[in-house]
Amino acid sequence: VAVAAGFSHELLCETKGKTIQEAIGKLWDKCEKYQNKLNSNYLQHLSNYLLVTFFKHYHLYQFVLCEVREVDQTIHELEVHVPQEVPPLKNGTDVELWNYQQQLAKLNEAEAQLRNDMSIFREARLLKNEHEMN
């Protein structure tokens, strides 16, 4: 297996930038070179495998290995603040209770605003009445 991997790696390196005809010639040269290192049946299967995989997509391999491609990279910076001390979970508030408290706070705020508006209205009314009396 290691010899076959070496065979494939060498073929890949030696065919970089070559035409497909030159690359097939390199394959045959490699087969002759590895004839004594690999079983002939295994070498034939390896060659057939390379022909139906590597050489079928040869132009794609050449593009990926030889072409300089533009790097399209987006970088985002995110600052994460960790609480200094995490409060115990038992001191937490139930979600439904918290939502109720938020609604209650909004209603109290609206009521206070309404009281303030009524107070301003009464004062304006008193001033208007005083002004009409004078």
Side-chain angles (χ1 to χ4, degrees):
V1 175
V3 175
F7 179 96
S8 301
H9 185 315
E10 286 177 18
L11 183 66
L12 182 66
C13 292
E14 291 177 11
T15 57
K16 204 181 239 187
K18 307 280 187 208
T19 65
I20 195 163
Q21 291 82 9
E22 292 171 326
I24 290 174
K26 288 282 185 188
L27 173 64
W28 299 133
D29 293 344
K30 285 271 170 229
C31 287
E32 287 178 13
K33 180 181 172 185
Y34 277 80
Q35 196 170 14
N36 297 329
K37 296 178 183 179
L38 289 170
N39 177 333
S40 62
N41 191 28
Y42 187 75
L43 187 59
Q44 185 175 359
H45 285 298
L46 180 61
S47 299
N48 287 339
Y49 176 75
L50 288 170
L51 285 170
V52 297
T53 57
F54 178 66
F55 287 102
K56 183 176 182 180
H57 305 288
Y58 185 73
H59 295 291
L60 177 63
Y61 280 103
Q62 292 301 304
F63 176 77
V64 170
L65 297 174
C66 299
E67 295 291 321
V68 177
R69 288 169 281 155
E70 183 180 324
V71 177
D72 184 16
Q73 185 178 27
T74 304
I75 298 174
H76 296 280
E77 291 185 22
L78 178 63
E79 198 172 316
V80 178
H81 297 280
V82 180
Q84 296 198 4
E85 186 178 317
V86 179
L89 193 55
K90 66 180 180 181
N91 295 346
T93 305
D94 182 55
V95 173
E96 291 176 8
L97 177 61
W98 185 84
N99 287 333
Y100 175 76
Q101 289 171 342
Q102 297 303 309
Q103 287 177 339
L104 192 60
K106 285 180 185 176
L107 288 172
N108 286 336
E109 185 179 317
E111 183 182 11
Q113 182 65 40
L114 187 60
R115 286 181 190 270
N116 187 34
D117 291 347
M118 287 301 289
S119 175
I120 292 171
F121 177 75
R122 284 186 189 127
E123 286 179 23
R125 192 81 162 121
L126 284 173
L127 286 173
K128 185 179 178 183
N129 287 342
E130 286 179 7
H131 184 61
E132 286 177 358
M133 291 176 118
N134 290 333

